[in-house]
Amino acid sequence: MSEPIRILLADDEPLIRSGLAAILSLEEDLAVVGEAGDGAEVWTQVRKLEPDVVMMDVRMPRMDGIEATAQLVANTGRLNRAPRILILTTFESDDYVYDALKAGADGFLLKRARPDELVRTVRAVAAGESIVFPAKLRELVADRQDSRQPGQPDLVATAGLSSRESEVLQHLAHGRNNQEIAQQMFLGVETVKSHIGSILAKLGVRDRTQAVIAAYESGFIRPGK
């Protein structure tokens, strides 16, 4: 049997941490290896415990989940292995969710999610999937569409994407996975992965979520289209 997915819980509410730990500990392939009661504790705990996934509350005292996420992403090179970051939030319209995704989080989950949904999401994030429903991401970006300052560089327009890469980015923005993109474009899955890797490199972003945010923010994809 493979090693279980190692999880760090970061939330300022002990009751929330206890509830999450109780749910996750029921699964043989999941292991809660530590907890942090504040965002300021996350970096130390990550370096010490080397979790695969950090479940990060967005609103915490001293250092919130956004700043803690940015700190982890900025210091990825100092870690033996960089954890995936799953943001926990009470409200799906929370402005902080968008800021956390921009900071480098791999997805978000509502605290009222069912236990089975929680478990599936943790597994998906650990496997490298970005957990953001396309419709919700479009809504979050639409709320911030006017925040780009005049003259601010258009990340996608200046990235030099090929026509194939542009098409793949459109599919990513609509929430399609590698297999679905391959079928739509009549390509092999490995070819799609190669295109995605090139897109991330050219945009200078960490993962698919960041690429999709860039696509919407730049106007390359417009909410509602």
Side-chain angles (χ1 to χ4, degrees):
M1 183 176 176
S2 60
E3 290 292 318
I5 297 167
R6 298 168 59 83
I7 304 162
L8 173 67
L9 302 177
D11 195 295
D12 62 326
E13 294 288 345
L15 188 60
I16 296 292
R17 298 198 305 270
S18 297
L20 292 171
I23 294 170
L24 297 169
S25 63
L26 295 175
E27 306 297 322
E28 292 185 358
D29 63 330
L30 304 179
V32 175
V33 296
E35 300 181 7
D38 182 80
E41 301 171 12
V42 171
W43 171 248
T44 300
Q45 291 289 71
V46 166
R47 293 193 67 182
K48 175 183 175 183
L49 301 171
E50 298 188 346
D52 300 301
V53 176
V54 177
M55 298 186 68
M56 185 94 73
D57 185 20
V58 73
R59 301 187 185 191
M60 293 183 284
R62 290 202 299 162
M63 181 184 290
D64 62 28
I66 301 165
E67 189 176 350
T69 295
Q71 182 184 53
L72 285 178
V73 172
N75 289 282
T76 294
R78 298 172 59 190
L79 299 171
N80 292 326
R81 56 179 177 184
R84 306 283 289 178
I85 303 169
L86 180 62
I87 293 295
L88 297 173
T89 180
T90 304
F91 305 105
E92 58 186 319
S93 60
D94 197 333
D95 286 343
Y96 290 108
V97 170
Y98 178 80
D99 292 331
L101 294 173
K102 282 209 68 174
D106 299 290
F108 76 93
L109 183 70
L110 297 179
K111 289 185 177 180
R112 67 170 182 269
R114 300 186 310 273
D116 62 317
E117 184 180 358
L118 168 67
V119 169
R120 284 199 309 271
T121 301
V122 170
R123 288 172 177 153
V125 167
E129 298 178 28
S130 295
I131 308 300
V132 183
F133 300 112
K136 177 50 59 181
L137 184 53
R138 286 196 294 270
E139 181 181 319
L140 291 170
V141 176
D143 289 342
R144 299 294 189 88
Q145 199 81 56
D146 298 328
S147 64
R148 193 157 64 99
Q149 300 299 316
Q152 184 177 338
D154 184 330
L155 186 58
V156 175
T158 59
L161 300 182
S162 68
S163 58
R164 279 289 199 191
E165 290 165 351
S166 295
E167 188 176 351
V168 170
L169 182 54
Q170 290 175 1
H171 285 296
L172 289 177
H174 286 87
R176 298 188 177 103
N177 60 34
N178 292 355
Q179 185 67 49
E180 292 168 336
I181 296 172
Q183 292 173 349
Q184 290 280 333
M185 297 181 64
F186 302 101
L187 299 173
V189 173
E190 291 304 316
T191 300
V192 171
K193 289 181 180 178
S194 178
H195 283 314
I196 293 173
S198 180
I199 290 168
L200 300 185
K202 288 182 177 180
L203 294 179
V205 297
R206 179 173 183 251
D207 56 26
R208 300 161 71 109
T209 299
Q210 303 300 305
V212 172
I213 288 175
Y216 280 115
E217 284 194 330
S218 68
F220 177 79
I221 301 289
R222 295 190 178 277
K225 298 294 185 183

